[in-house]
Amino acid sequence: MPYRRSAFFISDRTGITAESLGHTLLTQFDALEFKRETIPFVDTVEKARGIASHIRERAAADHHRPLVFSSIVNPDVREAVKVDEALCIDFFETFIGQIEHELHHKAELSVGKAHGVVNEERYDHRIEAVNYSLSHDDGIKMKGLDEADVILVGVSRSGKTPTCLYLALQYGIRAANYPLTPDDLGHDGLPAQLLAHRQKLFGLTIDPLRLHSIRSERRRDSKYASVDNCRYEVNEAESLFRQHGVPFLNATHKSIEEIATTIVHQAHLTRRF
Amino acid sequence: MPYRRSAFFISDRTGITAESLGHTLLTQFDALEFKRETIPFVDTVEKARGIASHIRERAAADHHRPLVFSSIVNPDVREAVKVDEALCIDFFETFIGQIEHELHHKAELSVGKAHGVVNEERYDHRIEAVNYSLSHDDGIKMKGLDEADVILVGVSRSGKTPTCLYLALQYGIRAANYPLTPDDLGHDGLPAQLLAHRQKLFGLTIDPLRLHSIRSERRRDSKYASVDNCRYEVNEAESLFRQHGVPFLNATHKSIEEIATTIVHQAHLTRRF
């Protein structure tokens, strides 16, 4: 039987917090194999008891104690999830007392504020930002760039669109993007449409071989996807960024989260919530 | 001087984990005001010392001890962030020893795996899912629905698009969406294009007054945005869902995270990473 542990991420709401920290901890044990399961919306003692049985069964089947990472506000629900047959860590419980003590203030013990609709204004910001990014994707619409918080610039398939959408969804930031096409490259000037918005530009670049591999998925054996062309476009784009003082980052070995967070940080963008 | 505490979320990588748990904890103290600051990519002792000075200055200016929530893998960097003038909690440090003990295994202490490009395959799944959602947004393209993991159905402005994008970005899930237009409503059958994919349908509904308010932002005083029409469309859509056994949820008081997580859970969708 291979060594394999079950890992549960349990929450009274979405499970995003429990997953996020649990995942960070488990990635430190890459040599081991984990079977992961997220169980959201465990908000009654009855549901919690069902989950506890499920964990006990898994412990018996695995012949190893599962790891249970939870973030549950209600103390009764929290207790009902805990079983002796597993290592149970509740992130909320671990810290809330310490913070109450520091703040001289009792926690309200209300569930689901972190990822709930805290207020409609915040929700609207995100939806508007998503709509903004969609209508200003790939240079479709160059009107309204005054409203952009940031304009991502880069060659085709350098990761602009997912990054814009992540910025909108996660931070409520209005991110437009402009693709540098072959017409924009090979000479010194920035595309005319971008000149008025130089302060908002942020460049994305990518390793030419990785670009070649991504583009080949779309159009194999095309000039567009050829190594030579990818190298040419990337070189030209980077030299344009340097020439005009456009900050840029290399997206090749970064996740969407890392790219987006780096841009927020380096461009000093203000989150809309 | 109003009572206000500074809260810092500090990380050697994106700060998403530190923010997520820190935010969850702070929402339990709604009566208090926090000035929040996220500082990502603190990955050297030198940077950490700079941050420590910044926190000390803030403590002096605030006349209150800041709260510092960190998640830092390297012990030297972690220690360099800590200051006596603040409550410093490191999420990583708090649990890693306990987990090492449980697993009889030493943590690798490697930074940035959780939100890094763990492997290109995972990255590709997300990008593909985003592209899929974009090309199957608002029923633009009905071809390729065989590849959809889920198809969100609902009236215009019920939250389908942001939810699809969140499912793609967060979970690598291919989510198409189909808007129920007035043509699709008022009779008993599902739209013909959806019949072959009944098992993949998931409905979104919304409170008619909230819909009225959202639609009015776009087209004030139109029939489209009128309370009567919103009420009619929502009623018809819900009756269609009920008639055809399409699971659905009411998105009115839910955040994008909650809507997406609920769909993953209820429709038993498999995350692509």
Side-chain angles (χ1 to χ4, degrees), chain B residues 247-267:
Chain B
F248 67 100
L249 66 81
N250 188 320
T252 312
H253 298 293
K254 289 189 162 61
S255 67
I256 300 166
E257 284 89 347
E258 288 178 308
I259 301 168
T261 316
T262 304
I263 293 170
V264 171
H265 190 59
Q266 290 191 8

Side-chain angles (χ1 to χ4, degrees), chain B residues 4 36 43 94 99 102 104 114 141 155 176 195 219 235 240 269:
Chain B
R4 201 194 59 179
R36 296 159 200 244
D43 48 10
T94 306
I99 298 170
E102 174 69 36
H104 310 294
K141 194 168 133 186
V155 301
L195 282 174
R219 291 195 232 153
N235 280 342
L240 208 58
L269 300 180

